[in-house]
């Protein structure tokens, strides 16, 4: 029995391991070395395992107390190496902060949030007003046939009114829509009256200066029913102007000509800047023109298969850019398309 292990012998061997590990751990320089050293003591074929092998030679009654001792030693060893790894991690972090040149006391860089484009916002505001009046959104293609863009809207071929809209043609019959009115035609061809729609979308005309862009946005409206009158048109437009520009805004209609309406009107609102007194923006008149409108021409109703004896309707259309320029005091339409972040951020 002399060389058989006993509890005391195992305990002192374990303690010796702990001391040895403590000394070694202090000299460790890298976490790789620390992991290797930990494995040397605690691995499956490590120094502690060697000691534990001798457990099996002990009489069963002693095994239990030896097991306790062995666990304590194992925990101590783990503690030593965990502490060493923590120390090395901190040292590596301190070193990298010293050498990488990162100044953690500097204020963080501001994050810029994206936001809706002012034209999108204006479109949404216009849509919202008409939706509250019972209009629903209708949509259609931007590349159109002559029939939907002109012919069905009472612009016969060679009609001089076609020159009012400088058109981009892809072929003699295919073009970029010059207004969103083709959506009205497509909707009426598709369903029976009553129809109460608004058509927001991009339109194209060969024209460019500080108030015109070759691509711009329109919102058009159409209401066709058995008894729709010019008075309804004015009522709807007044409600719209008051909601968009303020409660005291007045609306006036001036006779005008568009082929697809009869009678046709230009619609003015009291100047949003001077309230009607007269200023530079309204050219001292007190009024601003914001849209065109009128009663749908019988020829248009006939073209879509409606009976002009049975139904009537009104239509109106406005440029979103024009409305946005008035609402925000922007005097050059091109600012909306330059995408200069300094301009766009003002609308956040
Ligand atoms: Zn004015």
């Amino acid at each position: 029995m002399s060389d058989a292990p006993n509890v005391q012998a195992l305990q002192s061997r374990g303690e010796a391991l702990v001391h040895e590990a403590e000394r070694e751990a202090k000299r460790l320089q890298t976490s790789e070395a620390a992991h290797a050293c930990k494995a040397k003591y605690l691995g499956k074929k490590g120094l502690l395992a060697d000691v534990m092998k001798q457990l099996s030679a002990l009489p069963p009654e002693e095994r239990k107390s030896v097991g306790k001792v062995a666990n304590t030693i194992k925990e101590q060893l783990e503690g030593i190496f965990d502490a060493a790894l923590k120390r090395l991690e901190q040292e590596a972090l301190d070193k990298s902060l010293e050498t990488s040149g990162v100044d953690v006391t500097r204020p963080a860089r501001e994050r810029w949030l994206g936001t809706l484009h002012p034209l999108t916002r204006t479109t949404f505001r216009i849509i919202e007003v008409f939706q509250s009046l019972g209009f629903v959104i209708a949509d259609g293609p931007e590349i159109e046939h002559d029939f939907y863009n002109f012919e069905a809207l009472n612009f016969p071929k060679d009609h001089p009114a076609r020159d009012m809209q400088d058109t981009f043609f892809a072929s003699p019959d295919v073009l970029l829509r010059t207004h969103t009115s083709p959506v009205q035609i497509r909707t009426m061809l598709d369903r029976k009256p009553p129809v109460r729609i608004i058509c927001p979308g991009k339109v194209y005309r060969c024209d460019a200066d500080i108030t015109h862009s070759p691509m711009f946005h329109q919102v058009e409206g159409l209401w066709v029913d058995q008894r729709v009158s010019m008075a309804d048109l004015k009522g709807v437009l007044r409600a719209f102007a008051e909601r968009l520009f303020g409660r005291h805004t007045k609306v006036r209609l001036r006779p005008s000509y568009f082929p697809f309406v009869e009678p046709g009107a230009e619609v003015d609102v009291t100047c949003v800047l001077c309230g009607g007194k007269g200023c530079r923006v309204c050219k001292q008149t007190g009024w601003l023109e914001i849209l065109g409108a009128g009663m749908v021409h019988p020829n248009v109703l006939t073209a879509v298969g409606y009976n002009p004896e049975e139904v009537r309707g009104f239509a109106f259309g406005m440029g979103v850019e024009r409305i946005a320029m008035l609402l925000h005091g922007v005097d050059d339409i091109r600012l909306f398309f330059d995408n200069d972040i300094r301009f766009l951020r003002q609308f956040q």
Side-chain angles (χ1 to χ4, degrees), residues 265-299:
E266 304 264 20
V267 180
D268 299 338
V269 292
T270 40
C271 178
V272 291
L273 278 118
C274 63
K277 290 190 197 78
C279 69
R280 190 181 58 84
V281 174
C282 59
K283 298 189 183 92
Q284 310 305 329
T285 63
W287 294 93
L288 294 168
E289 185 197 322
I290 57 157
L291 53 87
M295 299 303 292
V296 179
H297 197 288
N299 288 354

Side-chain angles (χ1 to χ4, degrees), residues 118-119 121-127 129-130 211 216-220 237 240-241 243-245 267-269 272-273 281 288-292 316-331 333 336 347:
L119 291 178
R121 265 174 205 242
T122 306
T123 307
F124 286 176
R125 280 181 68 181
I126 296 169
I127 288 174
V129 175
F130 287 110
T211 54
F216 61 103
H217 299 77
Q218 274 192 341
V219 176
E220 287 191 1
L237 293 179
F240 164 72
R243 289 277 296 279
L244 205 70
F245 297 111
V267 180
D268 299 338
V269 292
V272 291
L273 278 118
V281 174
L288 294 168
E289 185 197 322
I290 57 157
L291 53 87
F316 56 85
M318 69 193 87
V320 175
E321 282 78 358
R322 167 103 179 126
I323 305 280
M325 286 167 86
L326 290 174
L327 283 174
H328 300 293
V330 176
D331 58 6
I333 197 172
F336 289 122
F347 300 94

Side-chain angles (χ1 to χ4, degrees), residues 254-267:
R254 283 178 291 111
S256 185
Y257 172 75
F258 306 101
F260 35 88
V261 285
E262 180 56 40
E266 304 264 20
V267 180

